[in-house]
Amino acid sequence: MRMTFDPALAANYNSASQQAKKLTEGWVSLNMFCPACGNVKLESFKNNKPVSDFYCEKCKKIVELKSSCKRFGKRVIGASYAKMLDNIRSASPADFLFLSYDRSKMCVQDLFVVPGHFFTESNVIKRKPLSFTARRHGWVGCEIMLSDIPAQGRVYIISNGREVNRNDVLNKYLSSCYFREINYAKRRWAIDILRLVNKLGSNVFLLGDVYKFSDELSLLYPHNKNIQAKIRQQLQVLRDAGYITFLRRGQYQKNFSSKPTDLV
């Protein structure tokens, strides 16, 4: 996988944003494989489509690209809020590639994919409508809260300028696919509980430790009047997905290491 951009792709553009778009999208077209199935190439859509930049001819997975000349922080500006909600609630939500690059060296620094089934309403924030004086006044965008997506949903392809072993990428992506097979309402709960379990410092934890997040979950799910029962149910989902193990009544063990966030 080549790490540098092809400057010829942006030669006919004066706008910095258009140059960046052509360089990064061109790089993906030339270098990126499908992280969902391993197909050697992603195809680009010829026309602009909401939440759609690329697709895989083999598995039909749709992929959206977000790029930045800096490392990604805890939140990223997204596109239409309504279109994003339609995407994450769909039976086959688009994956997102997050590509950060060094502008001076014209090369990729980091690249990771978030599988579409890791996006929920809990990690997409509605922005204020554009003002009346704006060209698209009334349009409502969104912010993607990367910090609210569990680390298990960030699959690195390039890290600090070095390519990650392709089999490791495919295996990590595959390990997340249990969530792809369950309906959105159930998936949203499970991902929120996984995010909270990640916050617990110890690899062995108690049911009571997760109950401490009840107030936070009540804010996310105001219509649910039995939060603790839902927590117990979703811990079973995480067990079935392979993320945790039941040790004994009320005691669990993570099947992953607790690591600090990789976001700036």
Side-chain angles (χ1 to χ4, degrees):
M1 184 179 286
R2 181 180 178 182
M3 298 298 165
T4 55
F5 296 145
D6 179 0
L9 296 173
N12 296 326
Y13 297 87
N14 295 320
S15 163
S17 61
Q18 281 294 319
Q19 289 175 352
K21 178 179 173 66
K22 293 298 179 181
L23 289 171
T24 55
E25 289 184 354
W27 183 90
V28 171
S29 293
L30 291 170
N31 293 276
M32 189 58 205
F33 60 93
C34 176
C37 72
N39 190 24
V40 295
K41 182 175 174 58
L42 290 175
E43 303 293 337
S44 59
F45 282 104
K46 301 306 178 186
N47 300 311
N48 291 332
K49 296 171 69 68
V51 201
S52 307
D53 289 320
F54 301 91
Y55 66 96
C56 174
E57 284 191 333
K58 182 178 179 181
C59 71
K60 310 307 179 185
K61 172 59 68 176
I62 292 174
V63 180
E64 172 82 355
L65 174 65
K66 294 290 182 185
S67 60
S68 172
C69 61
K70 300 177 181 178
R71 285 192 66 195
F72 284 100
K74 295 181 179 181
R75 60 177 65 200
V76 178
I77 300 297
S80 163
Y81 179 68
K83 295 296 184 183
M84 188 65 177
L85 290 188
D86 287 344
N87 173 59
I88 64 179
R89 292 169 179 165
S90 69
S92 183
D95 291 351
F96 275 67
L97 281 173
F98 292 89
L99 184 157
S100 58
Y101 59 93
D102 186 316
R103 182 184 293 170
S104 63
K105 296 179 181 178
M106 296 277 283
C107 66
V108 179
Q109 289 293 98
D110 293 293
L111 176 68
F112 61 90
V113 60
V114 176
H117 45 272
F118 263 89
F119 287 96
T120 74
E121 293 170 61
S122 302
N123 49 53
V124 177
I125 306 301
K126 185 177 183 179
R127 302 184 74 193
K128 293 182 179 180
L130 294 182
S131 68
F132 183 75
T133 57
R135 183 172 59 87
R136 293 191 296 166
H137 65 85
W139 183 84
V140 179
C142 71
E143 288 185 336
I144 299 169
M145 300 300 296
L146 281 178
S147 56
D148 286 345
I149 296 173
Q152 293 84 352
R154 297 195 293 274
V155 182
Y156 271 84
I157 300 157
I158 296 172
S159 179
N160 293 321
R162 294 186 177 183
E163 185 177 357
V164 177
N165 180 277
R166 186 168 301 195
N167 287 333
D168 291 342
V169 173
L170 296 174
N171 287 335
K172 185 172 182 182
Y173 187 104
L174 182 64
S175 71
S176 77
C177 287
Y178 180 88
F179 290 143
R180 186 176 63 188
E181 307 304 322
I182 61 180
N183 68 61
Y184 172 68
K186 189 175 183 180
R187 182 171 79 238
R188 181 187 176 190
W189 263 101
I191 288 172
D192 279 330
I193 297 299
L194 177 59
R195 171 176 58 84
L196 297 173
V197 167
N198 282 347
K199 290 183 177 182
L200 300 174
S202 174
N203 279 346
V204 175
F205 62 96
L206 302 175
L207 180 59
D209 296 327
V210 190
Y211 280 168
K212 292 176 182 178
F213 296 112
S214 293
D215 288 346
E216 180 176 339
L217 290 166
S218 293
L219 292 174
L220 292 174
Y221 301 93
H223 300 297
N224 189 293
K225 305 304 179 185
N226 201 348
I227 294 293
Q228 292 189 353
K230 198 69 175 179
I231 288 173
R232 294 193 298 272
Q233 178 193 74
Q234 295 309 310
L235 287 173
Q236 294 178 21
V237 174
L238 295 186
R239 176 201 62 192
D240 294 343
Y243 287 114
I244 63 173
T245 299
F246 285 9
L247 298 179
R248 57 181 64 87
R249 184 178 177 86
Q251 188 178 52
Y252 311 83
Q253 179 174 294
K254 301 176 189 178
N255 294 334
F256 53 88
S257 299
S258 296
K259 295 181 179 179
T261 179
D262 52 355
L263 304 172
V264 294

